[in-house]
Amino acid sequence: MTRVLLTGGTGFVGRQILYCLLKRDCKVRMAVRTSAVVAAEVEQVIVSDLFVAPQHELERLCSGIDIVIHSAWYSVPGEYQTAHDNLSCLSGTLRLAQAAITVGVPRFVGIGTCFEYDLSTGYLRTDTPLLPTTLYGACKLSAFRSLSKLMARENRSMSWCRLFYLYG
């Protein structure tokens, strides 16, 4: 049975990831700020702020995990594109990945955004050049680039999923 750590599992994207993981009979550990109403089989670990948690706490969170799926990020509508919180999310994401490496997690999956692309081209496709214009897009792209190098150096598997204009 695959053991998955899911961050952001109570959010708009994370909830959908959680549903898919449970349908696939994965064993899910979820980092949450406060106890959340989720399926009984989900292990909840309360972390007051994932992005500034001490390294030993992140390592404990990742211990015994096969895959980290990291969907947590600052996402307040109307604010997230320019919020300074993106910098904390970037540094916290890199620290989470370091913790995963330290305890031997073989795979890391991050959730990116279409805002990493050059939006001035008039269209968006997966081969559109990467050229963010917002702090949010720049931090997400920085996470992708840093994690790509780090995971390759550590011989770990990594995926980066760029989501395009969510609606719900």
Side-chain angles (χ1 to χ4, degrees):
M1 180 178 288
T2 304
R3 299 161 300 173
V4 179
L5 168 63
L6 175 61
T7 69
T10 60
F12 183 70
V13 171
R15 278 192 312 261
Q16 302 309 312
I17 296 169
L18 177 61
Y19 298 147
C20 290
L21 292 172
L22 293 175
K23 284 181 186 176
R24 295 175 195 266
D25 293 323
C26 293
K27 183 174 180 176
V28 179
R29 176 181 299 159
M30 214 165 75
V32 295
R33 284 188 210 120
T34 59
S35 186
V37 178
V38 294
E41 63 269 27
V42 174
E43 176 191 356
Q44 295 182 50
V45 177
I46 295 175
V47 180
S48 61
D49 187 340
L50 180 71
F51 299 110
V52 297
Q55 200 65 20
H56 70 275
E57 193 173 330
L58 295 175
E59 290 172 9
R60 188 173 51 236
L61 188 62
C62 293
S63 183
I65 294 297
D66 300 309
I67 303 170
V68 171
I69 301 178
H70 180 50
S71 70
W73 201 275
Y74 181 81
S75 61
V76 173
E79 296 179 15
Y80 73 97
Q81 291 282 350
T82 58
H84 288 240
D85 293 47
N86 285 294
L87 298 169
S88 293
C89 293
L90 170 58
S91 62
T93 296
L94 298 177
R95 290 178 50 257
L96 177 63
Q98 288 174 319
I101 289 167
T102 298
V103 300
V105 177
R107 182 156 178 75
F108 191 96
V109 178
I111 305 299
T113 175
C114 62
F115 293 106
E116 294 172 59
Y117 291 106
D118 181 357
L119 302 177
S120 70
T121 62
Y123 62 89
L124 286 179
R125 299 186 336 205
T126 58
D127 61 350
T128 300
L130 297 171
L131 187 63
T133 59
T134 65
L135 184 58
Y136 172 71
C139 287
K140 286 281 194 170
L141 181 56
S142 294
F144 164 70
R145 288 183 170 154
S146 298
L147 290 172
S148 294
K149 298 294 184 197
L150 176 63
M151 294 302 178
R153 187 189 72 149
E154 297 293 331
N155 199 28
R156 306 297 165 99
S157 173
M158 187 201 130
S159 293
W160 192 254
C161 309
R162 290 190 179 100
L163 305 182
F164 282 56
Y165 295 107
L166 303 177
Y167 176 80

